[in-house]
Amino acid sequence: MINGLYRPGASPIHRLRAGTKLLLLAITCTIVFFMEGWALAVVPVITVALYATARFDAQTLYRQLRPALPFILLIAMFQVFAASWVEAVETVLRFSGLILLAALLSLTTSPAALSDAMLSAMRPFKRFGLPAEQIALAMTLAIRFIPVISQAGEDVREAQRARGGRNRFFRSAGPTIIRTLKLADELAEALEARGLGLGDAEAPRRPTSAFEPRR
Amino acid sequence: MKLTFTDATLVRNGKTVLHPLDLELTERRIGLIGANGSGKSTLARMAGGLIRPSEGAVTVAGYDTARDDKAVRRITGFVFQNPDSQIVYPIVEEDLAFGLKERGFAKAEHRKRIGNVLDRLGITDLRERLAHELSGGERQLVALAGVLVTEPELLILDEPTTLLDLRHSRRIANHIAALPQTVIFVTHHLDLLVDFDRVIVLDDGRIIADGDPANAIAAYKRAMI
Ligand SMILES: Nc1ncnc2c1ncn2[C@@H]1O[C@H](COP(=O)(O)OP(=O)(O)OP(=O)(O)O)[C@@H](O)[C@H]1O
Ligand SMILES: [Mg+2]
């Protein structure tokens, strides 16, 4: 997810509308999920072709896959024993395809465009009380603050090292959480100050004089 | 633009953070200085309607901050010290659009205003950058741009230049001096206030000096010895 952050560009895939990409991803994922046998061999071919079209190199592609690789290999190994090596290969192709295609969407689509697209996808369900705007905002904030929070954790560990402490992940968890809570507090205030939710209020009439109390 | 504080008091956890304040602010450039913990940020937040007085009242352009907080927020822009918490979208350009979107401006207007504000602050090259890849000072400029772009009638700045180099803090000071709006500027950089219309000095939640920059700054320096 951190590696899958948006990389601005001008490729045909970048220029495709976010909603279109979201829909294509949903369709492709469904197809890939149900594909079997030798047909699955086209998945890596298409994936690589799409990455090339988006002007990403092999290293970028690998970086999208790397975090999930241990899990994929684990499942594949299990399948070699439980089922057959053919199914193990199928699993590897299927899952790496799904992950790479999803990553390609977030690599080539700006978070705001993505959140707008999700907003329109969710619109029909607003009638049933789905808080679409809040969900879209929450998603965007998550994308924005993942790097900020991991930086906060890095800062804490660096400070602990600078004071001669050992670099232990769990010792830095407490201070990192406290920083994150403070950040969340400030963020809530900033959202309010920047005008969150002002749109749906009709502007109140301005009083003619500061001395005329409003009612 | 007129701000009034009428017996405005703030008590938090049994501690009086601001003692009863009576103020009428009509000047265009208002500086706010004082020691750490003297209540500057609290006063600034109160002026922007982000916190309500425990007692008394605060009005902004005639709106009571307790009763008409939405109206106050609509015309007020607030820049805090930590830019990280104020940039809410991952990409600079999209973040600048946030306040405009919430205020219901059309897309064409977004583009025009965003281009404009980036140009005025000299950060056009940051337009498509990712916020978390910027330097601290660059992020501070983006946070400021995100507020300026909504063209608030009242602009409250709480130490917005702490991470900036000399050139950029000078540039911001000049920029602020040229703005037509009312500005309340909290800072420890006293030299940025020399051309201000009025400077208020806080100490321990009380106003200890209030007047032209030269006198107020002198009083502040005396109090700090
Ligand atoms: N929610 C709160 N609960 C208790 N005390 C608070 C609260 N908010 C602020 N204070 C106290 O009020 C005092 C004034 O705080 P404020 O942030 O306004 O100071 P400041 O003048 O902005 O200081 P600085 O220059 O360090 O930014 C401080 O002593 C602070 O500890
Ligand atoms: Mg402060």
Side-chain angles (χ1 to χ4, degrees):
Chain A
M1 192 65 192
I2 302 178
N3 294 333
L5 268 178
Y6 177 50
R7 301 258 202 89
S11 79
I13 298 184
H14 280 89
R15 284 203 305 267
L16 226 56
R17 287 181 45 190
T20 314
K21 277 186 272 192
L22 205 59
L23 192 67
L24 285 175
L25 178 70
I27 295 170
T28 322
C29 284
T30 315
I31 295 173
V32 170
F33 204 79
F34 290 108
M35 266 159 102
E36 274 179 5
W38 292 112
L40 272 166
V42 304
V43 174
V45 177
I46 290 176
T47 309
V48 169
L50 286 173
Y51 270 74
T53 313
R55 311 216 176 95
F56 293 129
D57 54 13
Q59 200 195 355
T60 308
L61 185 146
Y62 172 65
R63 251 194 248 128
Q64 312 311 312
L65 201 55
R66 194 177 47 197
L69 224 44
F71 301 101
I72 296 177
L73 293 180
L74 205 70
I75 298 172
M77 238 148 69
F78 177 76
Q79 287 202 320
V80 170
F81 294 112
S84 66
W85 68 268
V86 178
E87 278 186 41
V89 172
E90 280 182 3
T91 303
V92 171
L93 293 179
R94 194 178 285 130
F95 279 103
S96 48
L98 292 175
I99 288 166
L100 286 172
L101 289 171
L104 187 63
L105 174 74
S106 47
L107 278 170
T108 59
T109 316
S110 85
L114 200 57
S115 113
D116 282 350
M118 293 188 66
L119 199 57
S120 16
M122 288 187 287
R123 191 149 290 141
F125 304 100
K126 277 180 75 171
R127 259 181 304 159
F128 308 112
L130 185 79
E133 275 88 10
Q134 282 92 324
I135 293 175
L137 178 67
M139 197 201 71
T140 317
L141 289 177
I143 296 176
R144 157 81 182 107
F145 282 95
I146 286 168
V148 177
I149 291 165
S150 64
Q151 183 61 49
E154 189 49 44
D155 288 350
V156 168
R157 282 192 289 281
E158 203 167 273
Q160 287 177 342
R161 271 199 303 274
R163 283 182 296 175
R166 293 272 288 287
N167 184 14
R168 287 210 195 90
F169 185 79
F170 287 106
R171 279 228 330 223
S172 67
T176 306
I177 289 170
I178 290 171
R179 275 196 192 201
T180 305
L181 289 176
K182 182 162 177 284
L183 189 69
D185 215 33
E186 290 177 4
L187 172 65
E189 188 177 46
L191 283 170
E192 189 186 350
R194 289 193 62 186
L196 181 66
L198 281 182
D200 38 62
E202 95 258 22
R205 235 171 347 100
R206 173 161 306 195
T208 42
S209 143
F211 302 104
E212 207 172 78
R214 281 169 52 82
R215 188 70 295 249
Chain B
M1 167 64 72
K2 178 169 167 174
L3 265 102
T4 66
F5 285 69
T6 316
D7 263 337
T9 312
L10 190 82
V11 181
R12 277 283 154 86
N13 304 330
K15 179 179 181 253
T16 306
V17 178
L18 282 180
H19 294 274
L21 264 171
D22 271 302
L23 270 177
E24 193 176 298
L25 305 173
T26 50
E27 291 78 5
R28 210 159 56 95
R29 307 273 164 271
I30 300 154
L32 193 51
I33 56 178
N36 294 128
S38 56
K40 304 182 296 296
S41 296
T42 308
L43 183 83
R45 283 189 164 80
M46 220 173 194
L50 292 175
I51 47 180
R52 295 163 187 192
S54 330
E55 242 153 273
V58 177
T59 68
V60 178
Y63 294 120
D64 187 308
T65 58
R67 264 205 316 263
D68 308 312
D69 66 312
K70 265 202 170 169
V72 172
R73 281 198 289 133
R74 189 180 287 278
I75 59 171
T76 310
F78 214 120
V79 183
F80 305 91
Q81 188 177 347
N82 179 6
D84 271 338
S85 54
Q86 295 169 82
I87 302 176
V88 297
Y89 271 63
I91 294 164
V92 169
E93 185 174 21
E94 294 175 346
D95 182 72
L96 300 192
F98 176 80
L100 298 173
K101 212 157 63 181
E102 293 298 321
R103 285 169 177 77
F105 285 100
K107 278 264 156 69
E109 182 74 13
H110 290 195
R111 255 193 305 281
K112 201 178 89 200
R113 286 202 189 190
I114 290 170
N116 217 321
V117 77
L118 289 172
D119 187 42
R120 276 185 290 152
L121 293 178
I123 51 171
T124 305
D125 51 321
L126 302 185
R127 188 177 190 133
E128 292 184 350
R129 296 277 300 277
L130 289 166
H132 79 271
E133 288 178 0
L134 302 178
S135 79
E138 288 171 335
R139 268 176 271 162
Q140 209 157 33
L141 289 168
V142 170
L144 178 66
V147 171
L148 286 177
V149 80
T150 66
E151 297 177 2
E153 291 176 42
L154 169 64
L155 186 60
I156 302 175
L157 308 164
D158 191 354
E159 302 190 46
T161 57
T162 44
L163 303 170
L164 298 181
D165 59 36
L166 267 180
R167 179 190 297 140
H168 278 105
S169 43
R170 216 41 276 172
R171 177 181 263 166
I172 284 193
N174 291 338
H175 186 71
I176 289 166
L179 287 175
Q181 297 107 311
T182 301
V183 176
I184 298 180
F185 194 10
V186 180
T187 188
H188 293 290
H189 295 169
L190 304 179
D191 50 326
L192 297 180
L193 302 176
V194 287
D195 295 326
F196 272 48
D197 303 315
R198 179 172 176 180
V199 173
I200 295 169
V201 187
L202 277 180
D203 193 27
D204 206 10
R206 287 189 178 82
I207 293 177
I208 56 162
D210 180 0
D212 63 273
N215 285 323
I217 290 171
Y220 173 52
K221 285 182 173 160
R222 275 198 304 278
M224 287 304 105
I225 294 172

